[in-house]
Amino acid sequence: MEADYKDGSRDWGSVSFDDGSRCSYRIVRSDRRTMALQVKKNGEVLVRLPRRLPARAGHELVQKNKVWLSVQVKKIRESFEGREDFHWKEGAFLLLFGKQRILRVEPDFGRKGFLVRDTAEELIITGPADKNGGKGTEEMIKEVMERWYRQAARQYLEEKTARWAAKMNVSYGRIAIRGQVTRWGSCSGKGNLNFNWKLVLLPEELADYVVVHELSHRFHMDHSRAFWERVEKELPDYRLRRRKLKGWENEIYQKY
């Protein structure tokens, strides 16, 4: 078997791919019933095993799915390279509702704060910022834009949640807008909803999916068959939307 075990433990390993690259992985045991491979957004590879299975089963799973794993790891590595090339400055391409906008910086050092305007093609930030960049400028622009995105997301998601809740005849508690690293949303047992502000970057049909997903947890606080049937009742094409959402994740989480 083509695998290396690290630190004297068979719960760690590495695998080589056909292009000569390698990646390490870690075996994680839990009370789950089935085996699974997971490539996290930070590039970490996890092999999830039921407690009853030996580590060898995990190493064999990696080998059997080596081609798939190679593709996923390559996507993550390329997304990190893209992140290094991205800068919050004049001319950058930013997302809003699934469409690209060009970031424009209009310096106005007479202003104490910043104004952000949205046009069909541009996001224009006006304020005490150097158009050509400079020390601290990029971080400042990023902070201003994220604050603007959060404000836009709150109104957008509150209105969308109210509409879907009325259609689904379901109640909910408060709505919080957060910046989770790897979650689009969540629903607590009390019915409080958390949504990621980055939903405002996505096409509206995908934001709808996340809202319906979380509201469906008001009926079923799990991911049982009954839960997915509830989602499907509102969105018959939810599987397609879920796949599309996955396709956006690398760019969104690596850049924003």
Side-chain angles (χ1 to χ4, degrees), residues 147-237:
R147 186 163 58 245
W148 183 84
Y149 274 130
R150 283 178 179 268
Q151 292 172 350
R154 174 165 292 282
Q155 179 179 353
Y156 175 64
L157 293 169
E158 285 181 347
E159 292 176 354
K160 188 174 290 296
T161 302
R163 288 198 302 271
W164 277 108
K167 184 175 184 297
M168 296 168 68
N169 192 28
V170 66
S171 63
Y172 57 92
R174 62 172 176 79
I175 292 178
I177 305 299
R178 304 190 183 280
Q180 302 101 315
V181 176
T182 59
R183 300 186 72 177
W184 291 111
S186 62
C187 176
S188 73
K190 295 182 179 180
N192 296 323
L193 304 175
N194 293 322
F195 290 118
N196 196 322
W197 68 263
K198 299 180 184 73
L199 286 167
V200 80
L201 306 173
L202 300 173
E204 187 172 2
E205 63 174 356
L206 304 186
D208 282 326
Y209 164 71
V210 174
V211 170
V212 170
H213 182 115
E214 301 309 333
L215 286 174
S216 294
H217 279 309
R218 298 291 290 133
F219 298 96
H220 307 281
M221 285 298 293
D222 55 21
H223 289 100
S224 61
R225 177 178 295 181
F227 167 81
W228 290 113
E229 288 175 350
R230 178 72 240 192
V231 175
E232 188 172 27
K233 179 179 179 181
E234 304 301 332
L235 299 174
D237 65 341

Side-chain angles (χ1 to χ4, degrees), residues 68-99:
W68 175 86
L69 184 59
S70 173
V71 172
Q72 304 309 311
V73 170
K74 183 178 180 180
K75 287 180 180 179
I76 294 293
R77 289 172 177 171
E78 289 177 348
S79 70
F80 273 107
E81 292 172 0
R83 185 179 186 181
E84 293 175 357
D85 294 337
F86 176 79
H87 295 280
W88 291 82
K89 64 180 183 179
E90 170 78 15
F93 287 98
L94 302 179
L95 287 169
L96 182 65
F97 306 127
K99 303 294 184 181

